[in-house]
Amino acid sequence: MSIISKDIQKAITLLTNDELVAIPTETVYGLAGNIFSEKAIHKIFATKKRPFFNPLIVHVASVNALKDIVAEIPEKAMLLAEAFWPGSMTLVLKKSSKIPDLITASKDTVAVRVPNHVVTLELLEKLPFPLAAPSANPFGSISPTKPLHVENYFKEHIKMVLDGGNCKNGIESTIIGFENDNPIIYRLGALAVEDIEAVVGKISIKNKEENSPDAPGMLARHYAPTTKTILVTDVAAEVEKNKGKKIGILVFKDSLSNDAVTEIVLSNKGLLEEAAANLYDAMHALDHQNLEVIIAEKLPNYGLGKSMNDRLQRATFSV
Ligand code: TXA
Ligand code: MG
């Protein structure tokens, strides 16, 4: 029986009883639990097989709820919150003493965002507690952008996926932390760097590669299909090199018109937003085709292309 359901009341009952519910957001589906329930938070880590050193994002219904979560709000954080919430931006701020250490991996900061999805906003407004929600995928694998992706991963482990359709943006939120009250991007994501800079001016990007990163979504290998995947500029040349193998290709806008390969075009119109919305679904689809190799094309390195290249680099072996 399917665990996918639109029943918000059922989600409320489960979450109130320390259970997990996968929730829709505009970025990716999250695996949600009550931030104040130790039992629920332990289940999140166990279900994802996620290491405890990797902190969770707290989801709230509005900017107003921020004051209960964080100890202080730098001026530029407020500007960003007002500009982009509800939306695909997570702020990392000094935590309030009310936030359990389990959520923050004992850091003195907490990650928080207001997601932009009607169903989840309604859920958050009705619940008397915020929701902790990492992406609803096993640690290290591709994030889910459709209810079915979550069901495929977790139908044995959770009772419900709250159906909110396909995720509009399709790539995780952009994470912004603060050093001396100045914003720094910790994780590239669904909000383009250019749009953030339009609000707070030039911003630096800390592209984490080491093993104890500020945002472990930044581990060198993450977001990865199980099929060997490589990232290249010249897809046709790479297909030629892999002749004889069962090949899948993931291209931005131009079809290779090669019947010997399984191909997904991310956006025929060449729109980066559309490509981002399709990226993870395409990776899930190719990964289920019993291919020997997936060859992905590098995207233009600006706007959401930059965020997609970041994810593809972590999912692949560059050649
Ligand atoms: O779009 C998203 O952000 C989705 C949806 C469900 O909201 N969530 C998501 O969560 O991507 P997750 O757990 O897969 O990634 C959250 C990232 C992790 O890399 C984590 O290390 C980082 O946020 N993070 C959480 N708290 C942090 C903190 N206090 N300081 C620095 N990084 C933090
Ligand atoms: Mg994740």
Side-chain angles (χ1 to χ4, degrees):
M1 214 185 76
S2 175
I3 57 167
I4 300 169
S5 156
K6 289 192 191 305
D7 188 348
I8 288 206
Q9 199 47 53
K10 183 177 166 189
I12 291 174
T13 306
L14 286 167
L15 289 163
T16 307
N17 288 300
D18 307 309
E19 296 288 348
L20 306 185
V21 172
I23 56 164
T25 83
E26 81 285 20
T27 59
V28 301
Y29 271 77
L31 185 62
N34 174 359
I35 67 161
F36 299 118
S37 162
E38 209 170 297
K39 210 167 140 192
I41 302 308
H42 276 293
K43 274 187 201 161
I44 290 179
F45 283 98
T47 306
K48 272 186 70 88
K49 297 197 167 59
R50 177 174 175 130
F52 280 103
F53 67 73
N54 194 348
L56 306 175
I57 298 177
V58 173
H59 295 69
V60 293
S62 72
V63 184
N64 290 338
L66 195 57
K67 60 183 183 320
D68 301 324
I69 310 292
V70 308
E72 51 191 72
I73 310 174
E75 202 183 313
K76 284 186 176 167
M78 206 56 210
L79 279 178
L80 288 166
E82 278 164 359
F84 298 117
W85 280 348
S88 308
M89 173 190 70
T90 295
L91 293 178
V92 173
L93 299 169
K94 284 260 168 346
K95 83 181 193 82
S96 129
S97 56
K98 289 183 213 153
I99 301 296
D101 284 340
L102 204 50
I103 301 287
T104 62
S106 299
K107 284 170 178 283
D108 62 357
T109 53
V110 61
V112 57
R113 85 175 185 103
V114 182
N116 189 13
H117 193 293
V118 278
V119 173
T120 289
L121 285 173
E122 183 184 338
L123 179 68
L124 287 167
E125 270 153 22
K126 287 184 171 162
L127 287 169
F129 47 80
L131 293 173
S135 53
N137 53 279
F139 187 66
S141 54
I142 311 164
S143 296
T145 54
K146 291 181 170 179
L148 199 58
H149 296 156
V150 186
E151 183 168 74
N152 288 340
Y153 281 140
F154 292 136
K155 59 175 171 292
E156 313 295 335
H157 304 96
I158 62 173
K159 296 200 170 78
M160 180 177 178
V161 179
L162 180 58
D163 187 357
N166 298 349
C167 301
K168 275 205 308 279
N169 296 354
I171 188 164
E172 296 83 352
S173 62
T174 301
I175 301 182
I176 303 178
F178 289 81
E179 286 171 22
N180 302 321
D181 288 349
N182 285 315
I184 292 174
I185 294 180
Y186 285 159
R187 177 177 74 179
L188 293 165
L191 195 59
V193 177
E194 293 86 342
D195 293 343
I196 297 164
E197 290 186 334
V199 175
V200 289
K202 189 84 190 134
I203 186 165
S204 55
I205 303 171
K206 266 199 176 175
N207 226 357
K208 294 286 179 181
E209 291 286 351
E210 69 268 32
N211 260 344
S212 181
D214 287 334
M218 306 314 281
L219 290 174
R221 192 158 167 73
H222 213 88
Y223 311 102
T226 50
T227 313
K228 180 185 176 189
T229 304
I230 49 188
L231 180 61
V232 297
T233 319
D234 187 342
V235 176
E238 198 58 32
V239 167
E240 192 57 30
K241 275 194 224 158
N242 284 275
K243 228 174 174 169
K245 289 190 191 152
K246 274 195 265 174
I247 302 173
I249 64 171
L250 188 58
V251 293
F252 175 36
K253 59 181 170 52
D254 299 317
S255 169
L256 224 59
S257 304
N258 179 344
D259 290 341
V261 302
T262 305
E263 176 184 81
I264 296 183
V265 180
L266 290 173
S267 170
N268 286 307
K269 296 185 205 117
L271 301 174
L272 290 168
E273 284 72 19
E274 185 179 30
N278 291 330
L279 179 67
Y280 288 157
D281 186 43
M283 285 163 68
H284 279 279
L286 290 175
D287 206 21
H288 285 109
Q289 303 255 349
N290 280 320
L291 300 164
E292 287 166 277
V293 61
I294 298 170
I295 299 166
E297 180 182 27
K298 270 188 198 148
L299 290 135
N301 208 38
Y302 55 83
L304 295 189
K306 203 177 177 69
S307 305
M308 285 187 272
N309 284 337
D310 172 83
R311 298 302 189 273
L312 284 168
Q313 265 147 19
R314 291 169 206 286
T316 59
F317 301 91
S318 297
V319 291

